[in-house]
Amino acid sequence: MQWLRKPSNEHRTTLYRNISLLSIVGHGGMGKTTLLQHVYEDELTKEFDLKMWVCVSNNFDVKKVIADMLSTLKKKRPRLDESLDALQNSLRTEIMSKKFLLILDDIWEEEEENRDISKWEKVLAPLAFGKIGSRILVTTRMASVATMIAKVIKTKKETFKLEGLEEDQCLQLLNSHAFAGVENPTDDYKRLRSIAGEIVKKLSGSPLAAKVIGGVLNSSLDERHWTRILNSDFTSPKLGQDPKLGQDYIFPILRLSYMFLPKHLQNCFAFCSMFQQDYRFDKDDLIRMWIALGFIQQPHDQEWTMEDIGGGYFDDLVRKSFFDKFEDFGEYYKMHDLIHNLAQSVSMHECLRVKDGTKLPPIIPKTLRHLFVETTNLDIIKKIGQVKYLHSLFLFTEASNQDICSILIEIFKVSRSLRLLDVYAPALETMPEKIGNLIHLRYLAMMNEKVTMLPRSLSNLYHLQYIISFPKLGISQSKVDFLPSDINNLSNLRYLTLSDYYISSICGIGKLKSLQELNMFDLRDVSGYRIEELKNMNDLCKLGINCLENVKDGEEARNAQLCEKRRLTDLTLCWSDTNQRNIDLHENVLDKLQPSKCLRNLSIKRYMGARSAIWMNNVNPIFNLEKIELTDCLECEALPPFGQLPFLKSLIIEKMPKVKWLESKFNGNDKYDAFPLLEVLHISFLDALEDWFEAGVAAEDGCLFPSLIELEIENCPKLKELPSLPSKVKMLNIFKIGWTTLNFCSNSNPIPLESLWVFDCLNITSLPLADEIARLAALRYLTIRDCPNLISLGNYPEVGTSNNCHLIISDLCISDPSVLLMEPLRSIASLKKLSIGWNDEVVSFPNEAEQWFLKVSSSLSELNFSSLKSLEFLPSSLESLSSLQRLYINGVPMLRELPNLPPSLKRLTIWRCHPELKERYREDGGSDRHKIAHIPHIDFHPR
């Protein structure tokens, strides 16, 4: 952190003079990556314009590393079939004149150092265009790598050697895992704590070893178990100093942790060597593979499914630190490199990975059960047929349709023991019918968009449990025979990943009694497609039913037997047409669709009943609900007692124009304890909504929604203003609301609000931002649009003045430039992005607004002018915006001339503007083209 803070005082004249480099060097498992994860997320790093994290590992590829940098920046992965030049140019564009922080995690050195240097020169060349103060942090196990990277960017080598933990710290870490979930471990288990103290002396201060051995100890708090581990040999077998095995002192410790796993967990863990290093594991999909391969023990209790038991196995491995959990656009898991090496070591006789550059071994052991092949070499693929006893095959190839089909046919003739088959072949158009030979197949994955039809023989594979396929709807939607007509023979099928279109085409889907997810089933008044098909599908966890208007009456609805589905956690009920307003029929049908009490998520759409279902008006049947969504229920007059649900976290209500209150006396709630755990509330198009609670229900001075974090209100014209903003709200969006102002919390605590949107509120006259300036330190995103009567953003409080209390906003969006002259925006301290638009009246910016731009000149990096029909002149002060990098002008038809633009500008994009503007600034001979010639990227789009 000190290194990040210190200014770069090294005077270099080289290409990379703007970049400082620090290498973190340490043995495997010492915590290099963990350390930099904490640094990467620290507040200090917000001063960087860009942050990139790339996990390099030992399968180093130039294009992949650059693509990883780009995907971090753009949140979208570029295609690897792009040329190296194209990828380098894209990266250069993204980081041009920006101060960046780059983490290069886990770099290895190849045997030929010169080849390594040339590859890294290609990777790092685009980074030379970054702004001064840019930083690169490297983690590696080898000091030679630090020397090599420093040589590439021509700077002195600066390293931080990460040694092992001190013994007391290592013991603290070991104990935190060994006694996880144990109450009062300090007072009890004194003998065990003494044994732990002896064990930790053998761990060489390795945090990874402490975590893993701690997990092994945690599996049994029995003194004999702990003593066995203490007396185990922590030092053999000797594995030499191969850095890939993490030095000889740690690898035997990891192997020991594997040996203490029960056999079923050993099998599950060893199989994970089939996936590449740094692979992002999806928990659910891995569990499906374990089930297919027979690694999961059969449940003794009918309340448990195979997936439940597999989930327990996975959680055990997480607790024992064989997996680490991450979150980035969803939850995923990874193995530490050394743990992955361990998996490879213990599975070498059963598992084999073959990629381009490697070969099948000349003699294939008869014990080989799991094979992964990714190659363009057809000769290698053809040899797969030599392996007769495979249980799983992962085949990734870009061979032609004809080649891959003929190869698959040969494999299907020989490898009849296959239980898992995963084929990714972009050219594949149809899976050969010979797949019917694989009578033991449980899991089939086909990630091939060109496939237009699944083989007919598939429906004879009675053991099949999982079919995962993603055909392109555009190609095969018209083909009603994508699935075999007798696919419903697969009574063991547990999971089917296809579009709702294909699943709804299955006639007699009720025969698939083991199916666990049926995301949306379209009902028809035709035999084989009626709601009675659901009667015996009692293993369903997720269910969506559409076209409920095709159910004749309540008794037919009862045939779905939803209350018997004890595993059902997610339920969506939809009618497809709001014009059919048979109120009695809708009410009778919904009454008979009562789910079991285990339901967590409920969504109801286009229900035309005037009242809620009987089972929804009693808290007990819906006691466990966590998320509710009601949409287009146009006749419903009152909501069920959702406020009394103890676990409800998310409530979304849209287009229910007759509802007057969120919670009413009718629900028997006359004291203020409604919605105790609600975190997300979205309400929109509730035309009759008058108040949050019916009069007499809620105390005015009570704490409204005590746990609420996200509140969005749209088109509720009669709704009374909040008594005060809920104390935990971080995001508040209000659209088309009749309020005149906004009340913040009445207490003196900081207001955690991070994002505020006020949009199209005609009655709003004031927003008290200045009044609460001292408590609004978290506010970063502010939008004020189409509020024509807004005249004030409040007044600074008497204590504290504008001199020492400013808003620090990242993103500001407004429609009226005069808002910039209201305090506290007038004295704004920092701003990165500004959008001005959606205003038909503004012609030019007043002089005061011109001056305002100068106040943010050192921080503003992006500026947008959009949908300004009358604007003729942009602010002339744009020339002084020294940090401006991106300027977007869209829908400004009267603009004929640009002011002088700053030298820092890197991208200029102009859409739908006056033809004269494009003529004057066009690339081939425009009279004013020279005024913008310094901008690297200029995009003009048609009017």
Side-chain angles (χ1 to χ4, degrees):
M1 299 300 284
Q2 290 172 350
W3 176 82
L4 278 180
R5 286 191 190 97
K6 74 178 182 182
S8 180
N9 53 12
E10 183 187 358
H11 297 290
R12 291 146 61 203
T13 56
T14 64
L15 183 65
Y16 297 96
R17 61 185 174 274
N18 291 342
I19 301 174
S20 300
L21 170 72
L22 178 66
S23 297
I24 315 295
V25 181
H27 295 323
M30 278 299 164
K32 302 181 295 296
T33 301
T34 305
L35 172 64
L36 289 197
Q37 283 168 343
H38 286 286
V39 172
Y40 194 72
E41 297 301 329
D42 194 271
E43 284 285 323
L44 180 64
T45 64
K46 289 186 176 179
E47 69 180 54
F48 291 94
D49 301 316
L50 302 173
K51 296 199 299 181
M52 297 171 279
W53 184 294
V54 177
C55 189
V56 181
S57 293
N58 54 6
N59 50 351
F60 170 48
D61 176 81
V62 172
K63 288 171 68 174
K64 181 182 180 298
V65 172
I66 296 176
D68 285 345
M69 291 187 206
L70 286 168
S71 63
T72 303
L73 297 175
K74 299 171 122 180
K75 308 302 180 190
K76 180 182 176 184
R77 188 163 187 82
R79 298 195 326 272
L80 282 177
D81 58 3
E82 288 188 49
S83 68
L84 177 59
D85 279 349
L87 290 169
Q88 286 176 316
N89 287 335
S90 294
L91 182 57
R92 187 180 300 115
T93 300
E94 289 296 321
I95 60 93
M96 185 77 73
S97 297
K98 292 176 189 167
K99 184 178 172 184
F100 66 80
L101 171 64
L102 170 62
I103 310 288
L104 292 170
D105 187 31
D106 198 21
I107 301 182
W108 296 77
E109 187 176 56
E110 294 188 357
E111 293 175 9
E112 297 180 40
E113 185 187 346
N114 289 336
R115 184 175 68 181
D116 229 24
I117 286 179
S118 67
K119 289 167 84 171
W120 277 106
E121 283 172 342
K122 292 172 184 172
V123 169
L124 299 175
L127 302 179
F129 296 87
K131 191 176 180 181
I132 190 166
S134 295
R135 309 265 171 167
I136 298 177
L137 277 164
V138 165
T139 74
T140 180
R141 300 182 197 177
M142 294 161 277
S144 55
V145 166
T147 304
M148 183 262 297
I149 297 289
K151 191 183 294 185
V152 171
I153 69 169
K154 297 178 174 55
T155 185
K156 66 181 181 183
K157 183 175 82 168
E158 197 172 354
T159 61
F160 178 77
K161 187 88 162 70
L162 196 59
E163 304 286 359
L165 296 173
E166 297 292 336
E167 193 171 296
D168 60 336
Q169 296 172 327
C170 197
L171 178 60
Q172 188 179 345
L173 180 60
L174 176 81
N175 283 336
S176 71
H177 287 267
F179 294 105
V182 178
E183 291 185 13
N184 302 320
T186 307
D187 302 327
D188 302 327
Y189 308 110
K190 290 181 180 178
R191 177 63 188 150
L192 295 186
R193 296 177 69 80
S194 173
I195 296 171
E198 294 301 311
I199 290 173
V200 85
K201 293 175 182 177
K202 300 185 174 188
L203 303 184
S204 303
S206 166
L208 178 63
K211 285 172 58 179
V212 171
I213 291 296
V216 176
L217 295 170
N218 180 255
S219 62
S220 173
L221 299 183
D222 178 78
E223 188 174 323
R224 285 175 300 176
H225 172 66
W226 286 45
T227 303
R228 273 181 65 206
I229 293 171
L230 171 63
N231 294 332
S232 298
D233 190 348
F234 281 66
T235 58
S236 64
K238 285 287 183 183
L239 296 165
Q241 292 291 330
D242 182 355
K244 291 184 181 180
L245 296 180
Q247 271 59 41
D248 60 355
Y249 73 87
I250 185 173
F251 202 73
I253 297 172
L254 300 183
R255 183 179 285 274
L256 180 69
S257 69
Y258 168 79
M259 298 303 295
F260 274 93
L261 287 177
K263 181 63 178 173
H264 60 273
L265 289 187
Q266 287 184 350
N267 291 336
C268 293
F269 169 72
F271 172 72
C272 295
S273 69
M274 294 303 298
F275 303 90
Q276 67 188 33
Q277 205 169 79
D278 297 310
Y279 181 80
R280 293 187 171 195
F281 288 93
D282 176 84
K283 176 180 177 179
D284 293 336
D285 196 39
L286 184 59
I287 291 167
R288 291 177 199 123
M289 293 182 187
W290 288 346
I291 293 171
L293 293 167
F295 295 159
I296 308 297
Q297 296 168 336
Q298 288 286 343
H300 299 297
D301 188 337
Q302 287 190 345
E303 292 299 312
W304 288 74
T305 64
M306 299 280 279
E307 284 78 6
D308 293 334
I309 294 174
Y313 289 6
F314 189 92
D315 293 341
D316 281 346
L317 289 172
V318 172
R319 275 192 295 273
K320 296 176 189 298
S321 298
F322 288 93
F323 289 102
D324 292 309
K325 183 177 177 180
F326 296 88
E327 288 194 23
D328 177 19
F329 300 104
E331 187 178 276
Y332 67 93
Y333 295 82
K334 288 174 74 170
M335 281 183 163
H336 189 281
D337 294 351
L338 292 181
I339 300 290
H340 186 266
N341 291 340
L342 173 67
Q344 288 180 314
S345 171
V346 300
S347 66
M348 62 175 62
H349 300 299
E350 290 194 350
C351 300
L352 177 64
R353 281 180 60 85
V354 179
K355 296 188 71 171
D356 275 334
T358 60
K359 298 177 181 178
L360 281 171
I363 300 176
I364 297 172
K366 290 185 178 181
T367 55
L368 188 66
R369 294 293 177 266
H370 312 290
L371 177 62
F372 177 100
V373 178
E374 182 179 356
T375 183
T376 55
N377 187 334
L378 284 179
D379 291 333
I380 290 179
I381 300 174
K382 288 174 183 175
K383 291 179 182 176
I384 295 174
Q386 299 174 13
V387 192
K388 295 184 178 181
Y389 304 108
L390 281 181
H391 284 182
S392 68
L393 172 62
F394 299 82
L395 179 57
F396 287 48
T397 180
E398 296 188 6
S400 68
N401 178 55
Q402 186 174 350
D403 285 337
I404 189 62
C405 279
S406 60
I407 288 167
L408 286 173
I409 289 170
E410 292 304 311
I411 292 172
F412 295 160
K413 285 179 182 177
V414 178
S415 300
R416 296 190 175 208
S417 299
L418 276 174
R419 300 168 70 106
L420 184 155
L421 177 63
D422 187 341
V423 178
Y424 175 74
L428 185 66
E429 296 175 8
T430 180
M431 181 67 76
E433 289 290 340
K434 289 290 184 184
I435 196 173
N437 288 352
L438 306 182
I439 58 173
H440 297 288
L441 195 66
R442 265 80 167 165
Y443 180 108
L444 173 64
M446 297 170 52
M447 307 299 184
N448 310 289
E449 290 188 341
K450 288 187 179 180
V451 170
T452 56
M453 186 166 58
L454 293 183
R456 308 297 90 178
S457 60
L458 205 64
S459 53
N460 296 326
L461 301 178
Y462 298 112
H463 292 298
L464 202 56
Q465 295 173 310
Y466 306 103
I467 300 177
I468 298 168
S469 180
F470 295 97
K472 217 170 192 176
L473 274 174
I475 292 176
S476 51
Q477 184 163 3
S478 60
K479 295 184 72 66
V480 293
D481 58 350
F482 177 80
L483 290 168
S485 59
D486 51 354
I487 190 77
N488 59 11
N489 284 347
L490 301 179
S491 59
N492 288 307
L493 198 63
R494 306 169 74 83
Y495 186 78
L496 179 61
T497 302
L498 284 174
S499 76
D500 298 339
Y501 172 84
Y502 294 121
I503 290 177
S504 289
S505 72
I506 299 174
C507 182
I509 198 170
K511 292 174 71 176
L512 301 179
K513 295 180 183 178
S514 300
L515 207 62
Q516 297 189 332
E517 293 187 14
L518 184 54
N519 288 323
M520 190 55 68
F521 186 60
D522 291 345
L523 301 178
R524 302 185 226 166
D525 190 14
V526 178
S527 179
Y529 297 96
R530 294 192 177 102
I531 199 166
E532 63 192 24
E533 291 296 324
L534 303 174
K535 181 174 183 177
N536 296 314
M537 299 179 74
N538 289 335
D539 285 345
L540 284 169
C541 301
K542 295 182 180 179
L543 172 62
I545 312 174
N546 195 21
C547 307
L548 278 163
E549 66 275 7
N550 288 323
V551 178
K552 292 188 180 71
D553 51 39
E555 285 310 304
E556 186 180 350
R558 192 198 297 272
N559 288 336
Q561 297 276 308
L562 296 190
C563 57
E564 297 301 318
K565 301 182 190 337
R566 307 294 183 195
R567 308 190 203 285
L568 191 65
T569 59
D570 290 59
L571 176 63
T572 301
L573 301 173
C574 302
W575 285 257
S576 62
D577 188 356
T578 56
N579 291 321
Q580 296 183 13
R581 303 201 177 193
N582 188 334
I583 291 176
D584 289 342
L585 176 60
H586 280 247
E587 291 175 351
N588 291 334
V589 167
L590 189 59
D591 281 343
K592 298 301 187 289
L593 291 176
Q594 178 176 344
S596 70
K597 290 173 71 171
C598 62
L599 198 69
R600 297 288 188 275
N601 304 315
L602 173 65
S603 178
I604 299 178
K605 300 178 181 179
R606 294 179 289 277
Y607 167 66
M608 290 295 122
R611 59 167 176 81
S612 304
I614 295 170
W615 52 269
M616 293 173 70
N617 285 321
N618 182 348
V619 172
N620 193 43
I622 56 174
F623 186 80
N624 290 301
L625 278 177
E626 296 175 5
K627 183 176 181 179
I628 299 171
E629 182 176 353
L630 302 181
T631 307
D632 285 302
C633 302
L634 304 183
E635 298 295 329
C636 203
E637 297 175 357
L639 293 177
F642 292 152
Q644 297 176 49
L645 297 176
F647 307 115
L648 186 65
K649 291 183 178 180
S650 175
L651 178 60
I652 299 172
I653 304 175
E654 299 177 353
K655 296 182 182 176
M656 295 183 66
K658 295 189 177 182
V659 169
K660 292 184 177 182
W661 302 286
L662 293 186
E663 187 79 351
S664 63
K665 284 188 288 188
F666 168 75
N667 294 329
N669 187 30
D670 58 357
K671 60 182 186 297
Y672 201 91
D673 57 357
F675 301 103
L677 290 186
L678 193 70
E679 295 177 354
V680 176
L681 175 61
H682 291 187
I683 53 176
S684 58
F685 296 94
L686 303 187
D687 299 345
L689 191 70
E690 297 175 2
D691 207 341
W692 303 93
F693 299 93
E694 188 177 3
V697 175
E700 259 322 286
D701 58 350
C703 175
L704 190 68
F705 304 113
S707 303
L708 201 65
I709 294 172
E710 182 179 315
L711 175 59
E712 184 170 302
I713 312 165
E714 178 180 4
N715 262 304
C716 301
K718 296 182 179 180
L719 180 63
K720 287 185 180 178
E721 186 190 354
L722 285 157
S724 67
L725 193 68
S727 60
K728 295 183 181 179
V729 164
K730 292 183 178 181
M731 189 183 97
L732 173 62
N733 296 344
I734 55 175
F735 305 83
K736 294 189 177 180
I737 301 297
W739 303 348
T740 57
T741 186
L742 179 65
N743 285 336
F744 289 103
C745 317
S746 55
N747 60 37
S748 58
N749 296 329
I751 300 168
L753 194 66
E754 296 174 0
S755 174
L756 173 62
W757 278 54
V758 183
F759 190 112
D760 207 3
C761 295
L762 302 183
N763 296 340
I764 285 257
T765 57
S766 69
L767 289 173
L769 300 181
D771 309 70
E772 303 289 354
I773 189 77
R775 298 200 290 147
L776 283 171
L779 190 63
R780 291 294 178 269
Y781 304 93
L782 176 62
T783 295
I784 304 172
R785 272 187 53 187
D786 301 319
C787 299
N789 293 308
L790 182 69
I791 56 174
S792 169
L793 295 181
N795 302 302
Y796 279 112
E798 293 179 10
V799 179
T801 67
S802 60
N803 294 328
N804 57 20
C805 217
H806 297 293
L807 279 183
I808 303 176
I809 292 179
S810 299
D811 192 328
L812 175 63
C813 178
I814 58 172
S815 56
D816 184 356
S818 67
V819 172
L820 297 175
L821 306 179
M822 299 178 190
E823 293 291 6
L825 294 183
R826 186 186 189 98
S827 303
I828 197 165
S830 175
L831 183 66
K832 288 191 173 181
K833 178 180 176 181
L834 172 64
S835 300
I836 302 175
W838 309 277
N839 187 320
D840 294 346
E841 298 175 5
V842 63
V843 176
S844 63
F845 288 82
N847 187 53
E848 280 186 291
E850 292 261 0
Q851 294 301 310
W852 180 91
F853 276 95
L854 300 178
K855 294 180 182 179
V856 295
S857 62
S858 62
S859 61
L860 192 65
S861 62
E862 182 175 321
L863 185 54
N864 295 273
F865 296 98
S866 301
S867 300
L868 298 163
K869 291 184 179 179
S870 303
L871 186 69
E872 297 179 9
F873 303 101
L874 295 182
S876 59
S877 52
L878 295 192
E879 184 179 13
S880 301
L881 301 182
S882 57
S883 293
L884 192 66
Q885 296 178 14
R886 294 174 296 280
L887 175 60
Y888 299 96
I889 304 168
N890 183 6
V892 190
M894 302 304 292
L895 186 66
R896 300 174 183 228
E897 182 181 10
L898 298 175
N900 290 333
L901 298 176
S904 60
L905 200 63
K906 296 296 178 284
R907 182 176 293 277
L908 172 63
T909 302
I910 300 178
W911 288 68
R912 299 185 299 127
C913 289
H914 199 284
E916 185 179 325
L917 191 71
K918 183 175 183 181
E919 179 63 26
R920 290 175 62 171
Y921 294 93
R922 62 187 171 87
E923 187 172 8
D924 51 342
S927 59
D928 286 332
R929 180 69 182 192
H930 63 281
K931 295 181 180 180
I932 60 172
H934 65 286
I935 304 172
H937 299 281
I938 302 171
D939 300 309
F940 274 95
H941 295 271
R943 184 179 178 123

